[in-house]
Amino acid sequence: MRITPILHGYGERQLHDVSRLLHPRSIAVVGVSDSERSFGNFVLSNLESFDYAGQLHLVSRSSVEVKARACVASIDDLPEGVDVAVLTVPASAVIESVRACGRRGIGAAVVFASGFSEAGEEGERQQAELSRVAAEGGVMVVGPNCMGLSNLVDGVPLTFEPQMLGSDDSARLRQETRPGVAVIAQSGAMSNNLRDALIANGLPVMHAISTGNEAVLSIEDHLAYLVDEPRVGVIALYVEQVRYPELFLAQVARARQAGKPVVMLMPGRSARARDAVQSHTGALAGNHAAACVRLRAEGVLLVDTLDELFDVTTILHKFPVPPAAPPALLTNSGAIKNCALDLGEDIGLTFPAFTDATVSGLEAILPSYAVAENPLDFTTISAKDPEAYTRLCKVVADDEGIGGVMVAMMGGPRVGQLDKARHLVPAIAQCTKPAALIILGDQTELIPEFRQAIAESGVPFFRSVDRAVRAFTRVEQYGRSLRRQRVESSERRLPALPGSGLHAEYRCKEWLADMGIAFPAGRLATSADEAVAIANQVGYPVVLKAQSADLPHKSDAGGVVVGLADEQALRGGWERLQSAVASARPELTLDGVLVEAMGRSGVELIVGARRDPQWGPVVMVGLGGVWIEALKDVRLLPADAPQEAISQEILALKGAALLTGLRGSEPVDIPAIAEVVARVGEIMLSCPEVEEVDINPLVAYPEGVVALDALVVTSPQHN
């Protein structure tokens, strides 16, 4: 087995070169029989339907001939060096079959059988043994528990699913002038579902790959191949678990650099979060959330539903590098316009205003009573003048602030459908920005001429405004992600925090202050007299906070006393604090008590970061108080997000009105908030020992911010 060292230094594994698997010159089907409905016969029939031109070998214990093709009795009877063996054998025979493949120098094996890691502890043990045997023999294994894979453009269907395609379809795919689509899914059924849906949308699907349990080959291996495959322009993924995150991120980064969109559905948002360190950051930036942040940062277009996966892939097949601007919607219905506006508000899409030049151009076409705004209701002018479609689409598409064009209408009577076929479809097809046709009426029948015009044009076609608007929203987000600036790791090195684990608040504040994060004036006291001296320096009123790395939740133990206005109140507060902590935690020895000036009221936020063990650092910003407790109103960002992008995310919070001046209050200093978030990101990029940072609350004012509390967790292996 040849290993292609595409990447180095990730400590995960190298990539397998799957070109021999996807372009086999020889194939052995193991487990064929006389039964027409056996998996072996299904594989053989598929290969015949595509006129597979390579050497084809059959292995059967029960037959000497199947479909007029000679069989051998065992894998050991095969010629040396067959490229791929398709194992249509029961789970109990898989490991020995793979061992035999290794003896004969077979490059790869496709394993359909189930009953491995998905089936409990014994299945996991069997899969581990399968992986070991495959490694010893140098055999790349697809699966187990998969439906195989198909190189449709070259006519190599290594799957037991009866194929509706054949050699004529492969020939047509080879004539495609635009790069096609590839599908990879860890679920066999989902791989087939994606393939069929995209083909039905008129897309040329070149590869459909089911990876199953990934005992040897994983999504990363196939993804690396497809990034380099010139006949593939868009890659659609269904992924339940990324086994090698850094390797995966490196491949999608290569795809971004090659101009190949990667559209991905990754379920798991609703899964119960893993136990996290004692902070909001850990709870809200769990594994799935961290994965999404890192993936989006590398340009992966993450979708939430299968419909979005179908629809976005369809748009990006024709427009792989979309503008970073929202779309326009054109319709002849005020009702559709209103529905689109409501939907846009629900999903965070703002239909941008047209430029003055666009408004003038539209007013020259529209009747006097029409309003030249986005969404555009162009009324009934197309009924009398169907050529108006071309002029309308061109004027809107030429607007520099518009990132795409959607036209939504009813199909209408036959004459109307013919007009759309002859004028509207070509007008949309000529758009140089993402463009789509939406014909309402759900499954209302369209005349053959109209359907043929749509199919031949390659125009993305929808029967739902909702699906189209959601897809274009994703495309806009993707366009913006491609243009995202990145912040390099800081050259500045901070002094390490001594020890590891959760650190006491006063130590965290001293350390974070070196990065320019502002905290209330104060310091640690070990006696009441020292506390009084500190209070006299910082000014009353003051707050007292018990300090120990073993006391992260100070309030729960009575370790916080606030609003101490003078020396007498301070001394009384000192005694109450010491007594309460001793009662709640008698085994605890405090480092001392932090004496700080009381912070003035402002808008409370939370800023944090967490280093996910698989996906690395993720930064969080959100509104504090009830917003964090009840609504979890936070935004997650990559650690290298620039301040401009951070500010945009802050303004995308559900409660952003609290920051921008609600009911006459002064707006707070959003750039100052963004700077703290950026500083925390810099810490995570520059200090690998830091596992978590939690600043809660960060109080924002019209000018500046102050952090009232801070938590830092470091890892022992870096100390």
Side-chain angles (χ1 to χ4, degrees):
M1 175 174 60
R2 183 164 65 90
I3 302 296
T4 305
I6 296 176
L7 300 171
H8 299 281
Y10 289 102
E12 292 179 310
R13 69 169 176 85
Q14 290 180 316
L15 291 164
H16 300 82
D17 181 355
V18 297
S19 56
R20 185 180 179 187
L21 166 67
L22 294 175
H23 299 274
R25 292 170 297 180
S26 55
I27 298 172
V29 183
V30 180
V32 295
S33 69
D34 288 329
S35 171
E36 292 185 358
R37 299 187 68 84
S38 69
F39 280 11
N41 267 14
F42 285 147
V43 174
L44 178 57
S45 296
N46 288 338
L47 290 165
E48 290 177 340
S49 71
F50 277 86
D51 295 334
Y52 174 68
Q55 298 177 13
L56 188 55
H57 307 278
L58 305 183
V59 178
S60 175
R61 292 185 303 174
S62 59
S63 303
V64 295
E65 185 178 276
V66 173
K67 290 189 175 182
R69 294 178 182 270
C71 303
V72 297
S74 71
I75 293 172
D76 288 313
D77 297 323
L78 289 170
E80 184 79 20
V82 170
D83 288 325
V84 180
V86 183
L87 303 182
T88 66
V89 299
S92 59
V94 164
I95 292 175
E96 286 306 312
S97 295
V98 170
R99 183 176 282 115
C101 288
R103 289 195 297 268
R104 300 305 294 162
I106 295 174
V110 179
V111 179
F112 301 138
S114 303
F116 289 86
S117 64
E118 82 283 4
E121 290 185 10
E122 177 57 25
E124 290 176 359
R125 190 190 68 77
Q126 290 293 324
Q127 184 162 314
E129 178 67 6
L130 170 61
S131 300
R132 187 189 65 79
V133 168
E136 283 184 353
V139 182
M140 294 183 291
V141 171
V142 182
N145 188 33
C146 75
M147 292 184 71
L149 69 168
S150 297
N151 174 354
L152 296 170
V153 66
D154 294 317
V156 187
L158 302 179
T159 176
F160 62 84
E161 181 205 22
Q163 294 289 291
M164 295 181 288
L165 306 177
S167 57
D168 291 343
D169 299 286
S170 288
R172 177 181 51 78
L173 289 173
R174 289 192 291 273
Q175 294 171 359
E176 285 285 337
T177 57
R178 181 185 299 130
V181 177
V183 170
I184 315 177
Q186 288 172 329
S187 158
M190 190 59 69
S191 171
N192 297 342
N193 179 28
L194 291 173
R195 177 201 63 205
D196 292 348
L198 296 175
I199 290 173
N201 281 356
L203 273 61
V205 177
M206 305 298 191
H207 292 268
I209 299 169
S210 160
T211 63
N213 291 7
E214 300 185 351
V216 176
L217 294 180
S218 64
I219 279 181
E220 291 80 9
D221 300 301
H222 301 290
L223 187 57
Y225 169 85
L226 294 172
V227 170
D228 294 328
E229 168 57 81
R231 295 177 298 184
V232 170
V234 184
I235 303 169
L237 302 179
Y238 174 83
V239 181
E240 294 175 354
Q241 178 187 7
V242 176
R243 289 177 169 80
Y244 307 100
E246 291 301 326
L247 198 55
F248 187 91
L249 289 168
Q251 299 317 301
V252 296
R254 291 178 60 235
R256 184 191 71 247
Q257 293 159 5
K260 294 188 178 186
V262 175
V263 188
M264 179 171 168
L265 175 60
M266 183 173 63
R269 296 190 310 277
S270 61
R272 181 177 296 176
R274 295 180 305 172
D275 290 339
V277 177
Q278 304 141 324
S279 74
H280 288 297
T281 301
L284 294 172
N287 181 265
H288 186 272
C292 290
V293 170
R294 291 293 307 279
L295 290 165
R296 288 193 180 99
E298 289 299 346
V300 175
L301 200 165
L302 288 174
V303 297
D304 290 336
T305 67
L306 278 171
D307 286 348
E308 287 184 355
L309 186 55
F310 303 149
D311 299 340
V312 170
T313 301
T314 299
I315 295 170
L316 291 179
H317 169 247
K318 188 167 184 179
F319 305 98
V321 186
L329 176 73
L330 284 64
T331 180
N332 63 347
S333 165
I336 295 174
K337 172 181 176 178
N338 294 335
C339 290
L341 284 168
D342 283 348
L343 176 61
E345 184 169 322
D346 289 343
I347 64 177
L349 172 68
T350 300
F351 289 98
F354 293 136
T355 63
D356 292 343
T358 301
V359 170
S360 297
L362 291 173
E363 287 177 343
I365 304 170
L366 298 169
S368 59
Y369 55 84
V371 181
E373 63 182 6
N374 183 21
L376 175 67
D377 176 5
F378 57 80
T379 71
T380 59
I381 61 171
S382 59
K384 293 182 178 180
D385 179 15
E387 292 184 357
Y389 289 130
T390 302
R391 300 195 298 275
L392 288 167
C393 288
K394 185 177 189 313
V395 169
V396 172
D398 286 346
D399 190 314
E400 293 182 355
I402 298 299
V405 178
M406 297 176 281
V407 182
M409 304 182 71
M410 293 295 296
R414 177 177 177 80
V415 63
Q417 293 193 36
L418 286 173
D419 285 344
K420 293 178 181 68
R422 294 166 182 167
H423 300 283
L424 178 57
V425 171
I428 296 173
Q430 291 168 12
C431 288
T432 57
K433 297 175 180 178
L437 173 63
I438 309 164
I439 296 298
L440 304 180
D442 200 17
Q443 299 303 312
T444 305
E445 187 62 33
L446 303 180
I447 63 174
E449 296 92 332
F450 193 14
R451 285 200 166 276
Q452 182 179 356
I454 295 168
E456 291 177 352
S457 71
V459 166
F461 177 56
F462 296 86
R463 299 302 303 262
S464 160
V465 171
D466 186 291
R467 285 182 61 166
V469 170
R470 290 180 186 277
F472 270 74
T473 302
R474 295 294 190 191
V475 169
E476 179 213 351
Q477 293 168 349
Y478 175 67
R480 284 192 279 110
S481 75
L482 294 179
R483 293 155 179 82
R484 186 178 75 85
Q485 296 180 347
R486 297 164 194 276
V487 176
E488 299 298 328
S489 297
S490 172
E491 296 296 328
R492 173 170 37 176
R493 289 296 300 171
L494 296 177
L497 278 167
S500 61
L502 179 65
H503 296 267
E505 177 189 354
Y506 74 101
R507 292 192 181 278
C508 298
K509 286 182 171 180
E510 290 171 355
W511 189 70
L512 292 171
D514 288 342
M515 286 293 282
I517 297 175
F519 295 96
R523 62 180 189 273
L524 192 71
T526 56
S527 69
D529 289 341
E530 190 177 359
V532 170
I534 294 170
N536 288 333
Q537 290 177 352
V538 303
Y540 289 97
V542 296
V543 58
L544 302 180
K545 298 181 181 181
Q547 296 296 297
S548 170
D550 296 324
L551 191 65
H553 299 299
K554 299 177 283 291
S555 297
D556 294 347
V560 178
V561 183
V562 302
L564 302 174
D566 51 33
E567 179 178 343
Q568 181 180 356
L570 187 154
R571 290 186 181 277
W574 180 279
E575 293 302 324
R576 291 197 305 276
L577 181 148
Q578 297 289 343
S579 176
V581 173
S583 175
R585 297 287 302 276
E587 82 289 355
L588 188 67
T589 299
L590 295 178
D591 295 357
V593 175
L594 182 60
V595 183
E596 287 184 334
M598 280 284 293
R600 56 193 174 94
S601 62
V603 179
E604 293 189 1
L605 298 101
I606 178 173
V607 174
R610 175 175 176 266
R611 191 178 305 279
D612 184 85
Q614 289 183 297
W615 292 98
V618 172
V619 179
M620 181 186 77
V621 59
L623 289 168
V626 296
W627 296 93
I628 189 71
E629 295 290 350
L631 301 181
K632 297 178 175 59
D633 187 16
V634 299
R635 306 295 292 185
L636 301 178
L637 304 99
D640 62 352
Q643 287 193 34
E644 181 181 354
I646 296 169
S647 294
Q648 291 173 353
E649 289 294 321
I650 292 169
L651 291 172
L653 289 163
K654 299 171 188 173
L658 294 172
L659 306 173
T660 56
L662 183 66
R663 293 187 176 182
S665 62
E666 285 192 79
V668 302
D669 192 343
I670 290 176
I673 302 169
E675 184 175 356
V676 172
V677 178
R679 298 281 187 183
V680 171
E682 183 182 356
I683 289 170
M684 301 306 289
L685 292 173
S686 304
C687 305
E689 71 276 9
V690 177
E691 294 291 329
E692 187 166 351
V693 176
D694 198 71
I695 298 172
N696 183 24
L698 176 76
V699 183
Y701 307 106
E703 293 184 0
V705 294
V706 175
L708 300 189
D709 202 351
L711 171 155
V712 177
V713 179
T714 56
S715 171
Q717 63 258 32
H718 292 287
N719 285 277

